[in-house]
Amino acid sequence: MSTTTTKTAFWRGIRDSAPFTLVAGPFALLFGVLATEAGLNLFEVMTFSLAVIAGAAQFTALQLMQENAPTVVVIISALAVNLRVAMYSAALTPYLGRAPMWQRVFAAYLLVDQSYALSHQKFEAEPAMTVPERMAYYMGTCMLVMTVWYGASLAGALIGSALPPQIPIDFALPIAFLAMVAPAMRTLPHVIAAFTAVVVSLFAAAVPWSLGLIIAGGAGMIAGAQAELWMERRA
């Protein structure tokens, strides 16, 4: 495996991830603005983004902090939102598990929705890729998105409340998740899990501290798992 091939895989990952910057940028900008308005200073905002790198979890934690929720509730809620990352890691292990430890540690730190979605799809479509090629592609999918994420978080923190409220940058979160979730609705258990989670989240919307999200997520996973078991028994 030549160095040129690894570089090609890296640049291909950057190219494939480029469209996601159109979502990650406004999303990170919005977080920087809202975090500043919530009372966080520039250092705290950037530490938040550098340490967590998970937009949904960051917004969840920020909202709970504004509601003066107990610290343990903030942590549990943020972890619950990010439980999907553990599943991402498990799904990528067969492809990247033989990479050197330092590379796997770095890959784990950078693992986000976009890098998982692009990499898993690529590795399944091209099983002949070597481990170094896979890691190079994965890193490519991370680098551009992360650069935009950090830069936009910084810009949002600097802009703060000076950004006009009529600029509609809050559309980024639902569009990002729809773009990633919709293609995954390929089987009946996936559809049942998503439908159950949506319905339960509506009924649990009044639960304090956004704990309804945890309840809905758990209900969705249980429903999806049961649907899959039922289909396996029928088969």
Side-chain angles (χ1 to χ4, degrees):
M1 196 276 305
S2 66
T3 303
T4 302
T5 305
T6 306
K7 288 182 178 179
T8 300
F10 177 79
W11 287 109
R12 191 184 305 161
I14 289 182
R15 181 197 65 192
D16 292 347
S17 67
F20 286 101
T21 61
L22 300 177
V23 173
F27 193 18
L29 182 69
L30 179 63
F31 172 77
V33 171
L34 295 182
T36 303
E37 292 180 345
L40 274 65
N41 58 40
L42 178 61
F43 175 77
E44 292 169 336
V45 172
M46 293 309 300
T47 300
F48 210 157
S49 283
L50 286 167
V52 181
I53 322 179
Q58 289 176 222
F59 274 96
T60 299
L62 184 64
Q63 178 182 345
L64 292 173
M65 289 164 63
Q66 288 181 295
E67 295 175 358
N68 295 318
T71 302
V72 65
V73 172
V74 175
I75 295 174
I76 292 175
S77 299
L79 288 175
V81 172
N82 263 9
L83 278 177
R84 68 189 188 283
V85 179
M87 293 184 284
Y88 294 168
S89 178
L92 289 176
T93 296
Y95 303 103
L96 303 176
R98 292 192 299 273
M101 175 63 75
W102 70 270
Q103 292 183 2
R104 283 182 282 145
V105 170
F106 196 38
Y109 167 70
L110 293 174
L111 181 57
V112 293
D113 300 294
Q114 295 87 346
S115 60
Y116 163 75
L118 289 170
S119 297
H120 193 267
Q121 182 180 14
K122 185 72 171 179
F123 301 159
E124 281 193 330
E126 299 184 20
M129 291 179 71
T130 64
V131 173
E133 288 173 345
R134 291 171 185 164
M135 185 59 75
Y137 179 83
Y138 174 85
M139 290 299 178
T141 64
C142 297
M143 289 305 169
L144 183 59
V145 173
M146 290 297 99
T147 301
V148 172
W149 177 263
Y150 297 143
S153 295
L154 176 61
L158 292 174
I159 293 172
S161 58
L163 188 67
Q166 63 268 25
I167 297 181
I169 60 176
D170 55 345
F171 70 95
L173 178 58
I175 288 181
F177 277 98
L178 284 174
M180 289 179 289
V181 170
M185 298 292 102
R186 295 176 294 181
T187 66
L188 181 60
H190 286 118
V191 174
I192 291 176
F195 178 77
T196 302
V198 169
V199 172
V200 173
S201 68
L202 293 176
F203 282 102
V207 178
W209 300 325
S210 298
L211 292 178
L213 181 63
I214 300 177
I215 299 172
M221 288 188 287
I222 293 172
Q226 290 301 314
E228 191 167 3
L229 289 173
W230 176 75
M231 291 181 64
E232 288 178 356
R233 292 193 193 101
R234 289 196 60 185

